[in-house]
Amino acid sequence: MRFKSFLRYSLITRTDILTALLGLIFFIGAIPILTYFYFAHDLTSKDRIMNSNDTGLVLLDRYNHPFFTFYQAKFKTNVSLSQISPNMQHAVIASEDKDFYTHPGFSISAIIRSSLADVKQGSAAYGGSTITQQLVKNALLTPNKSFLRKYQEIILAQEIERRYNKNEILEMYLNSVYFGEGAFGIEQAAQKFFGIHAKDLDVAQSSVLAALLPAPSQLSPISGDQNASRQHQLIVLGDMQNQGLITQDQEKAAENEKLVFQTQQPQDINTLAPHFALMVRDELIQKYGEEEVARSGFKVKTTLNSDWQKFAENTVANQVAKLAANNAHNGAAVVLDPHTGEILSLVGSHDWDDQKFGKVNIALSPRQPGSSFKPIVYSRAFERDLITPATVLQDVPTTFPGNYKPHDYDGKFRGPVTARRALANSLNVPAVEVMQKVGLLDALSTAKRFGISTFSDPSNYGLSLVLGAGEVKLLELTDVYATFANKGERSKPVDILQIQDKDNHTIYTFHPDPQRVISEDVAYLITSILSDNTARAEEFGNLLTISRPAAVKTGTTENFRDAWTLGYTPDLTIGVWVGNNDSAQMDNIAGSLGAAPIWRLLMEHFLYATPVKRFEVPSGVVSQLTCSFATGIKSASTSGYLEYFIRGTEPSKPCNAPTISITGVSVSPGSVSPTPPPSVSQTPPPPASVSPSNPPPSTGAQIQIQVPPGKEKH
């Protein structure tokens, strides 16, 4: 019995072994045949080999209209080997494949050395590729690393070696390899980095370019790690000297040569939304690697609304031009869908072609936000029940810990004020009082929950954080306001909706995933105050009023260095910044005068044909007639006004008064709360012509309102 079992087991084992051997034989025999026939057409000429994978990157707007392209083949210039400096040829051979002229297309010793190194490091880099193999990988195969691809690489390398001589192979390689900074091929790289032709590259320049090949982006001396770039250059020079391609004197001279790199890069991008396009490209590079993105043939559907982008760019440019006399020379804007986080428009500067700072994306640059930061701290105070909108705060001369003595923009003090009045009119002393109640660490933690990423060591901040002393990014702060608009749920800003490869296979699709940051009730209290046209009229008049309910807040930093306006409706959030990249002081340009006109124009234009929506009061919020002498009420304390509270925090004794008087105007009790908008079905009449110089009609005042210099600093 045991013998029969052993025999049966042996037969099964032999069958398995035979099957495996047959499979291996098929793999070894069939793969070369299949690979050859699949790529045979691409091997027929040098041009086909070099251009096979140069498919570039296309960005589409949300309606599938192409608006930006990168890495297009038209930017590559092929040159013959005789037009490539021998210094460059030697540098590449010395560093990439010293046995290039003797091996048959692959190197067994190099593969063994690489495999042993992979085993030792516990990874599979599949290195040891010859120049011919690298040509195959770059021109014909995908960058994905696998044993199958490596096998195909060796097969095709042998076929290329059979069809072409070594000089032709080196020429194809140097014309197709990626050098970083968007440069494919040695001619474009020579011009991109040094502003010369490939035939004129000296030893030092050639060693720098050859040193880029292992990691073009990381080792770029222009935008990468300059120290690492230098170290790799020295390694290449050492290899060249060791292999007898240069002398020791040439090596020393190249090491000491002071290289000058091109600072003005050739324009290789389109004109619409350049900062947004670069942001998308950088995100793809971070995820896939630059060379794969450049060769992928990706068609990326973005979140951009091209028509809105054009209008936003024109609006920002026009307003900055108007403010030039007041020493304001730049502006930026971000438009978000608060429900999904989709970036509908992003203007990174007033003019991409501005030679001084147009290429800087100010939407991603940390700046001090002034009073536009206050709602974050107030929301935390509401969340912890430290205050309600009716809480009386003190706008009086106050010395806080650290001998900190804040003051309001106009140097005046208003005495006792409610939290609603304090936030709506951007009063500083009450805001610091709220900040003290919340605490620095809690305020920083809350900002992080909202998506603010720029705060670091808490010891760098103090109570002045609530007044905007910490730097934030316009995109991130706009996202904070989008969270309020989305009833306390944050959708992280997103710029990509879908990615398709060159075969139209969808490899990525965006799905919104909002996360709860604050309760719907707390979000509504902030919205209630920021959309209260009556409450803020005390200081802002109608500067921030548009034709529909909108919550809005301004911010101005010390000495008028930054002017902000951020606000939202239920379905749209817009953030605007105006100032100077070098933080030069503007002449009395506050957020309400510098950034607010842009915000208003964008809001009115983007929403004029849509139904008017009001902010919905959540079930956890109640309204109650409330007594207070701190609301600007001039009558006795028996007068009252309608206020919103999170259920359970409302006063136990409501006020009972028929009317109240606010800033000398007789109004009904409910008018202190946001004025109800028209019904949802009502839409504003469409303008005959909408442009930055011809805004849509508004039920409020016109945007250009004359205010005495220095009056408005919010």
Side-chain angles (χ1 to χ4, degrees), residues 548 610-613 677-684:
R548 63 182 64 218
T610 64
V612 175
K613 289 187 178 181
S679 63
V680 173
S681 61
Q682 181 176 346
T683 60

Side-chain angles (χ1 to χ4, degrees), residues 323-374:
L323 297 174
N326 297 87
N327 196 37
H329 301 293
N330 202 8
V334 173
V335 182
L336 296 179
D337 180 333
H339 306 301
T340 63
E342 294 171 30
I343 302 173
L344 304 174
S345 174
L346 185 144
V347 181
S349 69
H350 82 106
D351 181 7
W352 169 263
D353 294 320
D354 187 301
Q355 294 301 314
K356 292 181 65 176
F357 48 73
K359 304 298 187 292
V360 177
N361 187 351
I362 205 71
L364 300 180
S365 303
R367 309 287 302 198
Q368 289 190 347
S371 293
S372 61
F373 188 80
K374 289 176 182 176

Side-chain angles (χ1 to χ4, degrees), residues 11 108 153 195 220 352 379-380 460 637 655:
L11 290 174
I108 295 295
E153 186 181 292
S220 171
W352 169 263
S379 70
R380 182 57 174 156
N460 294 332
S637 61
C655 186

